[in-house]
Amino acid sequence: MLKGIDPRLNADVLHCLRAMGHGDAIVISDTNFPSDSVARNTVYGSLLRMENLSTAEAIEAILSVLPLDTFVDDFAMRMEIVGAPDEIPDVQREVQDKIDTAEGGSRPMLGVERFAFYDLARQSYAVIQTGERRFYGCFVLRKGVIGPDQ
């Protein structure tokens, strides 16, 4: 254990988050996402796990150390529901609440069509699979910067 570090963040996840640079994207996925095969195509090259957590719990822990990009609109993205892209299921609503809390105000995620999301995921820095069993619990977060006075 470390002081000031959320205990839900394991050493492998912390290493990866620290290694990422400004603009790098990380996928936080549910249990149904093809996480292992997608992770093999990422920069990191292997799957990370936070499997005892929901996606909202994992993202809350991640956002305790990861700044979100403030220079782009696609700082946070969610997988759209097939056939109902504007529908926001509970799992996505919970994650939006965690983002808004971490950011100190409303910053809506962008929706990404399912197959475009897979393509985006393969181009990301890494994939973290959670224990989320609800459908459409898949997200991409883009790392921002920490200024010299922070």
Side-chain angles (χ1 to χ4, degrees):
M1 298 292 290
L2 297 171
K3 290 190 214 176
I5 301 291
D6 190 309
R8 297 174 291 186
L9 296 169
N10 62 56
D12 293 332
V13 169
L14 281 170
H15 175 265
C16 179
L17 295 174
R18 173 61 180 94
M20 291 172 63
H22 178 226
D24 283 339
I26 191 158
V27 175
I28 317 302
S29 75
D30 62 29
T31 59
N32 291 299
F33 188 75
S35 300
D36 188 65
S37 61
V38 170
R40 292 177 197 200
N41 292 293
T42 66
V43 173
Y44 195 75
S46 61
L47 181 60
L48 297 165
R49 296 180 189 275
M50 295 177 77
E51 55 198 355
N52 60 332
L53 303 173
S54 70
T55 49
E57 292 168 330
I59 286 175
E60 179 180 44
I62 290 164
L63 292 179
S64 74
V65 296
L66 182 85
L68 290 176
D69 200 329
T70 57
F71 295 101
V72 295
D73 292 334
D74 65 349
F75 66 93
M77 293 163 272
R78 61 176 182 83
M79 182 189 288
E80 294 176 346
I81 295 175
V82 175
D86 295 326
E87 185 179 330
I88 308 294
D90 288 343
V91 64
Q92 293 183 0
R93 198 170 294 109
E94 291 169 16
V95 168
Q96 184 64 65
D97 288 343
K98 299 300 183 188
I99 290 170
D100 292 346
T101 297
E103 294 293 286
S106 178
R107 284 194 75 195
M109 290 183 279
L110 294 179
V112 178
E113 185 273 330
R114 178 180 170 214
F115 293 106
F117 188 97
Y118 291 153
D119 291 339
L120 178 65
R122 282 188 279 279
Q123 298 169 22
S124 71
Y125 191 87
V127 177
I128 300 172
Q129 184 178 46
T130 70
E132 183 63 66
R133 294 183 60 197
R134 293 175 289 178
F135 298 144
Y136 296 98
C138 299
F139 305 88
V140 174
L141 303 177
R142 192 168 304 282
K143 187 175 183 181
V145 298
I146 297 174
D149 297 331
Q150 295 175 309

